[in-house]
Amino acid sequence: MPTPRRTQVAIIGAGPSGLLLGHLLHRAGVDNVILERRSAEYVLGRIRAGVLEQTTVDLLEETGLGARMRREGLVHDGVELSFGGARHRIDFVALTGKRVTVYGQTEVTHDLMDARRAFGGETVYEALDVALHDFDGVTPRVTWHDARGEHVLDCDFIAGCDGYHGVSRAGVPAASIETYERVYRFGWLGILSDTPPVSPELIYSNHARGFALCSMRSPTRSRYYIQCSIDEHVDQWSDDAFWDELRRRLDPHAAETMVIGPSIEKSIAPLRSFVAEPMRFGRLFLAGDAAHIVPPTGAKGLNLAVADVRYLANALIEALAERSNAGIDHYSERCLRRVWKAERFSWWFTSLTHRFPETGAIGQKLQRAELDYLVSSHAASTAMAENYVGLPFEDS
Ligand code: FAS
Ligand code: PHB
């Protein structure tokens, strides 16, 4: 067996959760190593989230990651809901005093990678067969192999930041974990195109043919989604077929003014609501998609991951620097309070905007009634807005 190396925190996964945790720990002088199954190029090639809550923006700014986001991020004061052939604006600033920032997850990941490279943080890419050992004791260990051979890493703590399909949650004994899951019978067909966005703010559309979302990455790059059947394959959708279907699901003005062009990325994402409880197992802590998944309708996935990592970094720093276990003992309970509120909002907003054929004609009528109420009631609009812009952190 190779000679074991040692670090304080072994982080599994170099997505936004793992990279941000490594960044926050490094800033506090906590040594950490990240193990990532894929290459850096592969990680950057995944097109994911687009909307950052104010709390996420503030954390990135406070920790030296805000320069490019300030330059290139698009600050939005509201969103539009499209139904019945018309658009209705939800004014975040008037209702909550807060905004959101459109800045793609790819860019956040890029900034995190650049920061890690600048401080010389170690990320092992293409680390294969990562395995977690003895995290229920006091000497956790991680093993893997790569092009250089077999590796052993001893550590004080392991952070499972390896997403829904990762090895960390899978390594927890079934008797120690409870999971809650709802799989939706549809997916999101997403397209990225170098075309100007159809509207300066996002448009969420409830239409008899199905949900559609108009988003963006910059003034010259758009991101669009349409609800599709989960058993469809992306190869079944030509660009022309996508643009035709998208325009049929939007109000006449958007449909007529939309600039279309060739897709530079096109993929189908499944939708699910998923939570694993608890999020801590001895010296193993789950964060981000490794512990929970939300349907992307509420733009919560990435923001929830950031909130977990903020709590986890503070807890591990307290345990390692101040020898206090208060933070790690409360980590799971503190994260799950926020997680379940985001799960509820994401489920509610998905239920309100998507087609559910099994609910029949009355289902559409009830959705329309709730949408009419939502846009005409200050209380209902405020409730939607304060969840969308992000609930405050609970540090008690
Ligand atoms: P990630 O899944 O991003 O990262 C986990 C990392 O761990 C990956 O790099 C993976 O390669 C690595 N890994 C996995 N197994 C490993 C192993 N055994 N060993 C080592 N490494 C391993 N959220 C939104 O808000 N809006 C959206 O539109 C949106 N769209 C999405 C589309 C898709 C297809 C998916 C899957 C998610 C989407 N999300 C969206 C949610 C997404 O943004 C996540 O919330 C975000 O990526 C969470 O980041 P991480 O927790 O770091 O998980
Ligand atoms: C995106 O721009 O990718 C995006 C925006 C809002 C969502 C989901 C995805 O709710």
Side-chain angles (χ1 to χ4, degrees):
M1 180 175 89
T3 309
R5 290 177 46 200
R6 163 158 267 286
T7 187
Q8 290 178 289
V9 182
I11 299 171
I12 319 299
S17 293
L19 287 166
L20 179 59
L21 179 61
H23 183 77
L24 299 182
L25 292 176
H26 167 76
R27 285 172 60 88
V30 174
D31 186 56
N32 63 87
V33 175
I34 298 179
L35 304 175
E36 165 58 49
R37 177 172 62 180
R38 301 287 190 173
S39 68
E41 295 70 29
Y42 184 95
V43 173
L44 286 172
R46 293 185 304 226
I47 306 302
R48 295 272 183 82
V51 174
L52 304 183
E53 295 176 354
Q54 190 58 52
T55 48
T56 295
V57 169
D58 293 346
L59 180 64
L60 294 175
E61 289 273 11
E62 289 156 13
T63 56
L65 294 161
R68 194 159 72 99
M69 179 178 60
R70 264 195 312 278
R71 286 198 309 272
E72 298 177 15
L74 305 172
V75 179
H76 283 197
D77 293 357
V79 290
E80 295 200 288
L81 301 180
S82 171
F83 58 93
R87 281 156 44 182
H88 308 263
R89 186 164 183 267
I90 301 290
D91 186 336
F92 296 148
V93 177
L95 292 165
T96 71
K98 293 182 183 176
R99 296 170 166 82
V100 294
T101 297
V102 174
Y103 187 65
Q105 176 173 320
T106 304
E107 308 321 316
V108 174
T109 304
H110 221 297
D111 296 343
L112 285 163
M113 285 178 175
D114 289 349
R116 189 164 182 87
R117 196 176 303 112
F119 72 71
E122 183 180 1
T123 305
V124 179
Y125 285 101
E126 298 176 303
L128 304 178
D129 298 325
V130 170
L132 282 56
H133 310 271
D134 305 325
F135 53 78
D136 52 354
V138 293
T139 54
R141 170 172 285 187
V142 179
T143 58
W144 74 95
H145 66 86
D146 61 20
R148 293 170 296 154
E150 305 288 330
H151 302 272
V152 178
L153 182 66
D154 289 336
C155 53
D156 295 310
F157 297 102
I158 302 173
C161 300
D162 46 348
Y164 180 74
H165 299 289
V167 69
S168 298
R169 191 182 72 248
V172 174
S176 304
I177 192 167
E178 191 77 47
T179 59
Y180 305 84
E181 186 160 50
R182 171 171 295 176
V183 179
Y184 298 85
R185 285 190 271 178
F186 46 76
W188 277 18
L189 168 59
I191 205 167
L192 199 64
S193 60
D194 280 331
T195 55
V198 70
S199 164
E201 292 178 332
L202 273 60
I203 303 173
Y204 288 83
S205 177
N206 168 298
H207 190 277
R209 296 180 64 87
F211 168 82
L213 170 59
C214 302
S215 184
M216 64 201 70
R217 290 293 179 270
S218 76
T220 60
R221 178 164 286 191
S222 297
R223 178 71 170 163
Y224 294 108
Y225 298 94
I226 58 173
Q227 174 184 352
C228 65
S229 163
I230 195 53
D231 49 30
E232 289 185 72
H233 194 274
V234 67
D235 295 341
Q236 295 172 256
W237 282 90
S238 67
D239 287 4
D240 287 345
F242 178 89
W243 293 119
D244 289 346
E245 186 59 37
L246 173 64
R247 285 182 291 198
R248 294 171 79 167
R249 300 186 184 184
L250 298 175
D251 61 275
H253 178 68
E256 286 152 20
T257 58
M258 176 170 286
V259 177
I260 68 172
S263 61
I264 54 178
E265 192 272 351
K266 187 161 56 179
S267 55
I268 293 179
L271 270 66
R272 73 179 77 241
S273 301
F274 172 83
V275 179
E277 289 191 2
M279 290 170 55
R280 180 224 179 155
F281 309 90
R283 289 180 171 247
L284 167 64
F285 297 82
L286 303 181
D289 277 19
H292 42 72
I293 298 286
V294 284
T297 323
K300 291 290 155 237
L302 176 57
N303 293 293
L304 267 186
V306 169
D308 290 350
V309 164
R310 176 180 176 273
Y311 289 138
L312 182 55
N314 290 340
L316 292 176
I317 292 162
E318 183 186 276
L320 289 164
E322 300 163 26
R323 299 284 170 220
S324 157
N325 286 349
I328 57 176
D329 290 344
H330 287 97
Y331 168 73
S332 181
E333 171 206 346
R334 185 172 282 167
C335 286
L336 286 167
R337 275 203 300 269
R338 187 180 187 87
V339 166
W340 278 111
K341 288 174 185 163
E343 290 284 349
R344 181 217 58 90
F345 173 68
S346 304
W347 160 80
W348 168 79
F349 200 26
T350 302
S351 304
L352 184 60
T353 52
H354 289 66
R355 274 289 280 120
F356 292 78
E358 67 275 20
T359 63
I362 190 170
Q364 281 189 270
K365 283 291 191 182
L366 292 171
Q367 280 184 336
R368 177 61 189 269
E370 180 156 8
L371 286 162
D372 284 334
Y373 169 64
L374 173 58
V375 300
S376 59
S377 157
H378 185 273
S381 299
T382 303
M384 186 260 178
E386 70 177 7
N387 280 280
Y388 193 95
V389 299
L391 300 176
F393 288 128
E394 296 175 20
D395 284 326
S396 56

